[in-house]
């Protein structure tokens, strides 16, 4: 029993070291706190939002921030604060869905390409090169435009162009890991390639994937807001930050709060994920284990 406890502690020690280094990264902790607040707001949006985000109240249109409407109202009399709170749920759902799909596809294809090599590697990586030849946001714009305005079409478009970076990074890491002694030993023992790939190689290439996924959340949320701003994403009356920016353009002089607050929400969220991603990158880098992070 004592030996089992020791093994469990030793297996968790690397994670504890990473967490300890991450706690010393001040900006990462600020980012994590903001993200937790956003998640809390998104989950409890129906309970903490002061008003219905969709219900129109035309007599109260274009009100500046006041005690009843802390962030004012839009051109249809809807509470801006309530729409921002519900918009956090939409943005986080987009980020989680797109990052999850792109990570699964990219990691799987990168793992196969790096481990198998040969013709399979060439086919996968040439596909990656073709997609990377086009600017990602432009390609997503074209795909979303062809499929039609829809939040789901935006997520599909971002997923199509987003998996390539995961595939390239994972393939490069696999090429290094598959030459290690423990992989050679597993092959010598007759372990199947599939088990080696997912049991021995994959866990050793996940550190950069975690960092990319965190930074990718910021990129996806920003890209989705941009596509919604152009009218290709969430459609009215859905409370989405990009579409709120678009709706407020016509009132920038008379009611600047309609663009200022959604813009701040996007900026703060993107910065939070970037801060956390930078902290995770430093904490997971083995070359920085002895470095005290005091950012």
């Amino acid at each position: 029993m004592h030996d089992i406890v020791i093994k469990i502690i030793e297996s968790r020690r690397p994670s504890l070291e990473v967490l300890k280094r991450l706690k010393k990264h001040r900006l990462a902790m600020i980012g994590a706190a903001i993200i937790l607040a956003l998640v809390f707001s998104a989950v409890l949006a129906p309970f903490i939002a002061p008003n219905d985000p969709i219900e129109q109240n035309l007599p109260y249109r274009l009100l500046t921030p006041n005690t009843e409407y802390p962030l004012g109202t839009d051109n249809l009399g809807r509470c801006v604060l309530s729409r921002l709170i519900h918009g956090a749920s939409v943005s986080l759902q987009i980020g989680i869905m797109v990052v999850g799909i792109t990570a699964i596809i990219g990691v799987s294809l990168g793992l196969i390409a790096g481990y198998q090599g040969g013709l399979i590697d060439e086919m996968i990586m040439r596909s990656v090169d073709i997609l990377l030849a086009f600017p990602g946001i432009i390609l997503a714009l074209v795909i979303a435009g062809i499929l039609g305005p829809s939040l789901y079409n935006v997520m599909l478009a971002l997923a199509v162009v987003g998996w390539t970076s995961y595939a390239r990074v994972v393939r490069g890491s696999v090429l290094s890991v598959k030459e290690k002694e423990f992989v050679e030993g597993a092959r010598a023992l007759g372990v199947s390639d599939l088990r080696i790939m997912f049991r021995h190689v994959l866990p050793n290439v996940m550190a950069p994937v975690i960092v990319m996924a965190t930074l990718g959340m910021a990129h996806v949320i920003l890209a989705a807001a941009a596509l919604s701003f152009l009218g290709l994403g969430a459609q009215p009356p859905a409370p989405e930050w990009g579409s709120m920016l678009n709706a407020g353009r016509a009132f920038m002089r008379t009611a600047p709060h309609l663009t200022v607050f959604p813009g701040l929400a996007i900026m703060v969220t993107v910065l939070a994920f970037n801060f956390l991603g930078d902290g995770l990158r430093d904490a997971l880098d083995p070359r920085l284990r002895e470095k005290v992070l005091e950012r």
Side-chain angles (χ1 to χ4, degrees):
M1 183 66 180
H2 180 266
D3 293 339
I4 295 176
V5 172
I6 294 297
K7 288 182 179 179
I8 293 175
I9 294 174
E10 288 178 348
S11 66
R12 293 182 178 180
R13 185 173 298 167
S15 300
L16 294 176
E17 291 178 357
V18 169
L19 184 59
K20 187 182 297 184
R21 292 195 298 273
L22 184 62
K23 286 181 178 179
K24 295 178 181 179
H25 199 296
R26 295 173 183 174
L27 289 180
M29 290 295 96
I30 293 173
I34 294 172
I35 292 169
L36 285 176
L38 286 170
V39 172
F40 177 81
S41 299
V43 172
L44 299 179
F47 306 101
I48 64 176
N51 297 283
D52 190 316
I54 298 177
E55 183 181 0
Q56 300 180 15
N57 195 357
L58 294 179
Y60 294 93
R61 64 191 300 268
L62 299 179
L63 291 180
T64 57
N66 54 70
T67 53
E68 185 177 358
Y69 299 100
L71 298 185
T73 60
D74 64 6
N75 60 313
L76 296 176
R78 298 172 297 193
C79 177
V80 173
L81 176 59
S82 299
R83 290 179 65 79
L84 284 178
I85 292 173
H86 283 269
S89 175
V90 175
S91 294
L92 289 177
Q93 286 178 27
I94 295 173
I96 292 171
M97 288 290 293
V98 173
V99 169
I101 293 171
T102 54
I104 292 173
I105 295 174
V107 170
S108 300
L109 292 177
L111 182 62
I112 295 170
Y115 188 83
Q116 297 294 336
L119 181 60
I120 295 177
D121 183 23
E122 285 293 323
M123 292 175 60
I124 293 175
M125 298 316 297
R126 295 301 73 79
S127 300
V128 170
D129 291 339
I130 291 172
L131 287 175
L132 290 176
F134 302 93
I137 188 64
I138 301 299
L139 186 56
L141 181 63
V142 171
I143 295 173
I146 293 173
L147 295 176
S150 167
L151 196 59
Y152 294 104
N153 290 341
V154 164
M155 288 192 286
L156 178 59
L158 293 174
V160 168
V161 302
W163 64 270
T164 53
S165 55
Y166 291 93
R168 293 191 71 174
V169 170
V170 170
R171 174 185 178 271
S173 300
V174 170
L175 290 175
S176 174
V177 171
K178 74 175 186 178
E179 304 299 331
K180 299 292 184 182
E181 291 81 2
F182 63 89
V183 176
E184 295 293 339
R187 288 199 194 99
L189 292 173
V191 179
S192 66
D193 286 342
L194 189 63
R195 181 173 176 80
I196 292 175
M197 288 167 56
F198 288 96
R199 179 68 178 84
H200 300 285
V201 176
L202 182 60
N204 289 281
V205 301
M206 285 304 294
V209 173
I210 295 172
V211 176
M212 288 185 63
T214 306
L215 296 173
M217 284 286 294
H219 171 74
V220 168
I221 290 173
L222 188 60
L227 293 174
S228 293
F229 178 80
L230 295 174
L232 295 174
Q235 299 299 300
E240 198 275 334
W241 293 340
S243 61
M244 289 175 66
L245 274 174
N246 185 35
R249 281 190 308 160
F251 307 95
M252 289 185 66
R253 292 182 179 273
T254 57
H257 63 277
L258 297 185
T259 53
V260 169
F261 293 125
L264 284 175
I266 296 171
M267 183 188 72
V268 170
T269 302
V270 170
L271 281 176
F273 279 106
N274 283 334
F275 287 159
L276 182 58
D278 288 340
L280 284 171
R281 180 194 59 201
D282 294 343
L284 291 168
D285 192 339
R287 294 171 295 182
L288 299 175
R289 287 183 180 178
E290 303 300 326
K291 181 179 179 180
V292 177
L293 302 173
E294 293 294 346
R295 297 185 180 182

